[in-house]
Amino acid sequence: MSAAQNTRVIVIGGGYAGVLAANRLQGTPGVAVTLVNPRPEFVERIRLHQLAVGGDDATEPYDTLLGDGVRLLVDGADHIDADIRQVQLTSGEVLDYDYLVYAVGSTSGVPASVPGATEFAYPLSEFEQAQRLRARLQDVPMSAPIVVVGGGLTGIEAAGELAEAGRNVTLVTDVVGASLGAAGRRSVVKALTKLGVSIIDGPEILVTGVEPDAITLADGNRLPSAVTVWTTGFGVPGLAAASGLRTDELGRLLTDETLTSIDDARIVAAGDAASPSGIPLRMSCQAAGPMGVQAANTVLARIAGTAPKPLNQAFAGQCISVGRTYGTVQLCHSDDSPRRVFIGGRTAAFFKEQVCRATITFLRKEGVKPGSYFWFKGDNRARQLAEAQQGTLVR
């Protein structure tokens, strides 16, 4: 009898990491895979800024992405009881498991410390948030002032998409594209400026309040804003912590380098909600996908009674769209630090779109042919761990 005979694996979360993990696992005979996700369709988070302006629905049907061996259960997960290996669902149903893949993703991080932010700002990191923003935009005139708070990748893409749609956009941030190299930042600023985005940036720039029709800055200035889009900061669902599993300060599940929970060898994590060795990878689909496959490989190794391999993946770059016309592709070292080389303009916009399409293709292909997914590998994790032990790691 196979060691995998009648092994039940639950994957919580149907994002990039969860879908790849489920598709990889269902290729092994004797492994029964259930994917639990609160939405009936896959959400392309990398297209939520397009959804907000009505340019894309940012979804894909699960039946076109998941392998035939994956059972999709549309429900939420409320509690993990690791002692008896059960997951309590929002509907009241209880699922038993032999192994669990924790891939719940991330959420918005609108700070309660900024007065009015939670009431009046519009975050853009989840499907329902993008739908809410889209509905709000339909209620305000095209000429109304829109403020995007945060100059990270999400803020850049949101500002560019809104401006290209004809909106009056101001981007407010300390640094535009802080994760990019100097030349890459200049490329982004140039593209935003071409689209008519006004940029207010500087180390002293800090939003201290959000009102229904304005924002206030630390220097006392008040900017009109019919819609304030908030793109700074991310959080994670509190499922792990609420279930008594150890997490980092943000709530990501603490794991070892094989992505196995430090509390339970039957629980493996992947994606934005995983914190291997307390040194998480950058929240992105570029990190989530490979982690999903590696988490699945860890489960399969444990089922087979072999030693799972440690996390091994590297970054290649950051692809940013600035509307549908412009873009910037920042090439990176394997540790995600920027190189001096970048691609800008229309070529970068085309490249970014191909990457978005390829991401869906890779999910679908893994469902048809488990084991086909590949990713960049490197020695950056070993260096990060060594630096962390020496106390020299810069985060």
Side-chain angles (χ1 to χ4, degrees), residues 329-350:
V329 177
Q330 173 68 68
L331 301 183
C332 296
H333 297 283
S334 62
D335 65 355
D336 205 26
S337 61
R339 297 179 183 270
R340 295 182 178 180
V341 181
F342 77 95
I343 303 169
R346 295 177 185 272
T347 301
F350 175 81

Side-chain angles (χ1 to χ4, degrees), residues 95 100 176 180:
L95 298 181
L100 183 146
V176 178
L180 309 178

Side-chain angles (χ1 to χ4, degrees), residues 15 146 249 314:
I146 308 295
E249 67 282 355

Side-chain angles (χ1 to χ4, degrees), residues 91-113:
S91 64
E93 185 177 352
V94 175
L95 298 181
D96 296 307
Y97 68 85
D98 296 299
Y99 291 92
L100 183 146
V101 177
Y102 187 81
V104 298
S106 56
T107 61
S108 64
V110 179
S113 59

